[in-house]
Amino acid sequence: MDIREAKINDVPDLVLLMEQLGYPTSVDNFKIRFNAIVANPSYHTLVAELDGEIIGMAGLCSSLFYEYDGTYIRIVAFIVDTNHRRKGIGKKLIQEAENWAKEQGAIAIGLNSGNREERKNAHQFYLNMGYKDKSIGFSKSLV
């Protein structure tokens, strides 16, 4: 298994992963979105690849703190294919995300995960990886 930066040719596989994450989209729509992400230097997308198949992804975004000096990385999308879970892939993917964050000079890394029953295993994974459940998130649609 290899972890590398995502490429435009990965979009069809990424669409399948986004669907598993609960965000279905078309290849055409995601290609437009992905091109905008790649063009923004604050973003970085990692994929886990096994035998030519993309089986996981981590979408990362670098931001500035208001409350501290320095930057932090937010994991804005994280998924391992359902057929490849509990094999250490997520651990390697998140470790690589943390390594990239350190290379960027970030002083912290964080993520949000929905409070839904199907995310309980993900929450336990993050706790096992040393993340703390220390906040509650709020969201409001503007459209």
Side-chain angles (χ1 to χ4, degrees):
M1 197 234 358
D2 186 38
I3 296 180
R4 61 169 173 80
E5 188 171 357
K7 299 181 234 168
I8 193 70
N9 293 347
D10 299 325
V11 164
D13 290 331
L14 294 176
V15 166
L16 297 175
L17 290 174
M18 291 303 293
E19 186 172 325
Q20 288 184 23
L21 194 56
Y23 303 101
T25 187
S26 70
V27 169
D28 289 339
N29 284 348
F30 195 76
K31 192 174 282 189
I32 292 166
R33 205 175 309 152
F34 186 75
N35 278 325
I37 288 168
V38 170
N40 187 323
S42 295
Y43 285 80
H44 187 68
T45 307
L46 297 171
V47 294
E49 183 177 29
L50 181 66
D51 299 327
E53 179 187 2
I54 303 302
I55 57 170
M57 66 97 59
L60 311 169
C61 182
S62 177
S63 297
L64 297 170
F65 280 108
Y66 277 93
E67 61 273 38
Y68 307 110
D69 294 333
T71 61
Y72 67 95
I73 301 300
R74 184 153 223 61
I75 301 172
V76 293
F78 190 87
I79 181 80
V80 172
D81 182 275
T82 55
N83 297 319
H84 296 279
R85 292 183 184 160
R86 301 195 181 278
K87 298 177 181 175
I89 295 160
K91 181 177 182 177
K92 289 179 183 170
L93 192 55
I94 212 159
Q95 287 171 335
E96 189 59 34
E98 292 170 359
N99 288 340
W100 181 80
K102 289 173 189 173
E103 289 170 8
Q104 305 313 299
I107 62 171
I109 189 167
L111 61 97
N112 283 8
S113 183
N115 285 327
R116 300 192 305 269
E117 186 64 32
E118 66 269 21
R119 297 285 166 93
K120 285 196 181 246
N121 289 337
H123 296 173
Q124 190 57 56
F125 167 76
Y126 298 129
L127 290 169
N128 292 346
M129 292 301 299
Y131 290 72
K132 302 201 180 332
D133 58 347
K134 59 179 245 168
S135 67
I136 183 168
F138 297 91
S139 175
K140 179 179 179 181
S141 176
L142 297 177
V143 291

